[in-house]
Amino acid sequence: SDLESAADLSVYRRCIPNAEIKVCRLTAALELRRERLRSREKGAGLEWHLQRTAELDRILDQASIDHFSVDNGDRPLREVASEVLARAGWLVNP
């Protein structure tokens, strides 16, 4: 589920009491995100998703609920995942 506000994060905190929750915002250039959407979305929903990805930038910038962000642009998935784990402090041997 997407986290778009402090209220959304509060729901997770209530559902998982005493958890150490870290919010990572994955980022990529707008055109790259749109290119990815075009490769996997078809039909009427495509236009909505293309608009929504730009809208989410504004929403997430304003909400400012992430603890850190990681570039998910033109990088190997393993590299992105390793950085997320390291930044969250969840790697035993970084």
Side-chain angles (χ1 to χ4, degrees), residues 4-58:
E4 296 181 23
S5 68
D8 292 339
L9 183 54
S10 292
V11 170
Y12 282 88
R13 292 191 192 286
R14 283 194 309 273
C15 291
I16 314 167
N18 302 317
E20 182 184 338
I21 296 174
K22 302 275 183 161
V23 178
C24 172
R25 181 175 175 183
L26 294 176
T27 62
L30 178 59
E31 273 313 305
L32 178 58
R33 294 192 323 262
R34 287 182 170 160
E35 180 181 313
R36 289 174 177 171
L37 286 166
R38 286 184 190 99
S39 72
R40 69 174 187 243
E41 297 294 332
K42 304 294 180 222
L46 175 59
E47 192 57 40
W48 182 86
H49 286 287
L50 293 173
Q51 294 298 321
R52 180 69 171 150
T53 192
E55 179 185 25
L56 279 173
D57 271 344
R58 292 186 296 274

